């Protein structure tokens, strides 16, 4: 899923506000407990509410982000830039088909710009079943547990692994191999700078100068990697 790749650690902040009883068992003060309840209630509301009505009319928000699933949506500029690149690639192929692995914002923008683009969204979050037959449930821990009809069927694949770990990228790479159509396949990978060497080794990818950004401000630096030379698009391949 589009990606926050870090975990909030409550235990790093709560002990300072805790007290101890006679058994030396840490307990929270009433003030801290109330603040924690309020925070959790706010998180719960955020997962169930519809996208804000004050959002820009042209923005696309498929569903609310769920940080428990490492979901952080691209901002508009990133989503439009990558979607337009994918659509340009579709024009180079006789029978285009796009696989969007864990990047629902991209899928949504593709459909907004060109409703007829043949695209499939592979996602763990079943809220995206709203996309009907173009939704396929996907768990990266089971990288090839996909319909046989999808095997070797996609000349364009965009992937955004949900975690910045070697294991996650290796399993997503297995999925990419499963989906890849024989011949020329265009691969775009959105993930962290820390995955640069792994992306090169596993998938033969190089970073572009274009820097993806998310609507939420994340601490990790993200990159867009491709297996083809984008020329002047996407800022071109980064020069080494």
């Amino acid at each position: 899923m589009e990606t926050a790749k870090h975990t909030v650690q409550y235990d790093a902040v709560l002990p300072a506000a805790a007290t101890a009883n006679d058994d030396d068992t840490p307990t929270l003060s009433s003030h801290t407990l109330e603040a924690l309840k309020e925070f959790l209630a706010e998180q719960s509301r955020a997962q169930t509410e519809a996208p804000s009505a004050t959002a820009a009319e042209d923005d696309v928000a498929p569903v609310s982000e769920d940080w428990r699933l490492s979901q952080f949506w691209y901002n508009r500029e990133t989503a439009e830039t990558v979607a337009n690149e994918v659509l340009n690639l579709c024009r180079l192929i006789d029978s285009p088909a796009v696989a969007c692995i864990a990047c629902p914002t991209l899928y949504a923008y593709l459909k907004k710009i060109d409703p007829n683009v043949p695209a499939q969204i592979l996602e763990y979050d079943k809220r995206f079943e709203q996309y009907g037959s173009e939704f396929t449930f996907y768990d990266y821990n089971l990288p090839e547990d996909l319909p046989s009809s999808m095997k070797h069927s996609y000349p364009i694949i965009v992937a955004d692994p949900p975690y910045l770990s070697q294991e996650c990228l290796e399993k997503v790479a297995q999925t990419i191999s499963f989906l890849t159509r024989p011949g020329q396949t265009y691969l775009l990978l959105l993930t962290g700078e820390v995955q640069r060497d792994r992306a090169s080794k596993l998938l033969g990818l190089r970073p572009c100068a274009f820097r993806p950004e998310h609507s939420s401000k994340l601490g990790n630096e993200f990159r867009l990697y491709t297996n083809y030379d984008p020329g002047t698009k996407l800022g071109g391949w980064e020069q080494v």
Side-chain angles (χ1 to χ4, degrees):
M1 300 114 240
E2 298 156 26
T3 77
K5 334 296 194 211
H6 65 274
T7 303
V8 179
Q9 306 226 352
Y10 298 112
D11 55 357
V13 295
L14 292 182
T19 60
N21 59 23
D22 292 338
D23 297 325
D24 292 328
T25 301
T27 60
L28 298 179
S29 69
S30 58
H31 176 76
T32 302
L33 183 58
E34 193 61 34
L36 177 58
K37 287 180 179 179
E38 183 178 347
F39 171 80
L40 294 175
E42 178 62 29
Q43 292 299 315
S44 178
R45 287 193 296 272
Q47 306 316 315
T48 57
E49 291 176 354
S52 172
T54 60
E57 182 177 343
D58 291 336
D59 286 351
V60 175
V63 297
S64 58
E65 298 172 341
D66 187 341
W67 58 267
R68 294 168 298 181
L69 297 178
S70 192
Q71 288 178 339
F72 291 81
W73 306 149
Y74 308 136
N75 66 14
R76 177 181 173 184
E77 179 184 1
T78 293
E80 286 185 340
T81 298
V82 179
N84 281 314
E85 172 65 4
V86 169
L87 293 173
N88 287 333
L89 294 173
C90 285
R91 300 183 185 102
L92 303 176
I93 301 170
D94 290 336
S95 299
V98 184
C100 301
I101 303 174
C103 44
T105 315
L106 173 65
Y107 172 88
Y109 269 83
L110 282 172
K111 288 296 182 177
K112 175 179 181 291
I113 298 171
D114 182 358
N116 296 317
V117 62
Q120 191 77 13
I121 176 174
L122 287 70
E123 251 292 343
Y124 184 83
D125 188 344
K126 291 189 176 181
R127 290 181 296 172
F128 294 106
E129 287 180 330
Q130 64 179 293
Y131 294 125
S133 62
E134 292 191 346
F135 167 84
T136 297
F137 176 77
Y138 173 66
D139 182 347
Y140 83 89
N141 292 296
L142 302 170
E144 297 186 6
D145 188 14
L146 296 166
S148 60
S149 59
M150 299 178 70
K151 188 172 185 178
H152 303 324
S153 296
Y154 294 89
I156 303 172
I157 301 173
V158 188
D160 187 343
Y163 300 104
L164 295 180
S165 68
Q166 179 175 340
E167 177 204 28
C168 184
L169 186 57
E170 287 175 345
K171 289 182 176 179
V172 170
Q174 287 183 253
T175 302
I176 291 170
S177 178
F178 178 90
L179 297 172
T180 296
R181 180 188 293 179
Q184 174 66 63
T185 295
Y186 297 97
L187 173 60
L188 298 88
L189 175 73
L190 296 102
T191 189
E193 167 68 26
V194 297
Q195 297 278 49
R196 177 196 286 254
D197 291 342
R198 294 169 188 158
S200 175
K201 181 178 179 180
L202 288 170
L203 296 163
L205 306 181
R206 290 178 56 180
C208 298
F210 176 76
R211 302 298 179 101
E213 295 183 356
H214 298 78
S215 297
S216 302
K217 301 302 180 182
L218 306 182
N220 300 306
E221 181 180 2
F222 283 80
R223 303 301 300 268
L224 171 59
Y225 305 87
T226 66
N227 69 338
Y228 65 94
D229 186 349
T232 58
K233 297 173 293 183
L234 304 176
W237 268 340
E238 184 177 82
Q239 299 302 309
V240 295

